[in-house]
Amino acid sequence: GFSAGTSLSNIYDIIFQTFEVMGREIQFLKNYECDVLITPNLENVNPLAFSEPEKCIKEGIRAAEAVLPQILTILGRRDEQR
């Protein structure tokens, strides 16, 4: 993703930023019907750096671990209802 201070130096930067903005708007408008939505922070990931998937994976793991207590609480409530 692009951070707010990212400079747009070429047409590809502009296209990727457009996709990111559209994606955020769609996510906001969908109003997901889920208990937990995991959204990794990808501001420091260059969308053109296809050779760096490890960064995305690490951010996904970090985001999932951050909400794990919330997930476990929800699962615990569901077990109690059975």
Side-chain angles (χ1 to χ4, degrees), residues 9 12-13 15 18 20 23 29-30 36 43 51-52 56-57 60 62-63 65-66 68 73-74 80-82:
S9 59
Y12 299 110
D13 289 345
I15 291 170
T18 301
E20 181 180 350
L29 293 173
K30 270 189 163 183
V36 178
E43 284 186 1
S51 62
E52 300 178 342
C56 294
I57 293 168
R62 190 173 292 129
E65 288 174 342
L68 188 58
T73 299
I74 292 166
E80 292 171 3
Q81 293 174 354
R82 290 184 183 177

Side-chain angles (χ1 to χ4, degrees), residues 9-67:
S9 59
N10 59 51
I11 189 67
Y12 299 110
D13 289 345
I14 294 168
I15 291 170
F16 278 111
Q17 186 179 49
T18 301
F19 289 155
E20 181 180 350
V21 170
M22 287 173 26
R24 275 191 304 223
E25 289 299 312
I26 289 169
Q27 182 177 343
F28 175 75
L29 293 173
K30 270 189 163 183
N31 193 16
Y32 289 102
E33 292 184 26
C34 58
D35 296 319
V36 178
L37 180 62
I38 301 172
T39 52
N41 179 359
L42 300 177
E43 284 186 1
N44 295 323
V45 176
N46 179 349
L48 296 176
F50 297 110
S51 62
E52 300 178 342
E54 298 84 18
K55 286 184 180 179
C56 294
I57 293 168
K58 286 180 183 178
E59 285 302 321
I61 291 169
R62 190 173 292 129
E65 288 174 342
V67 296

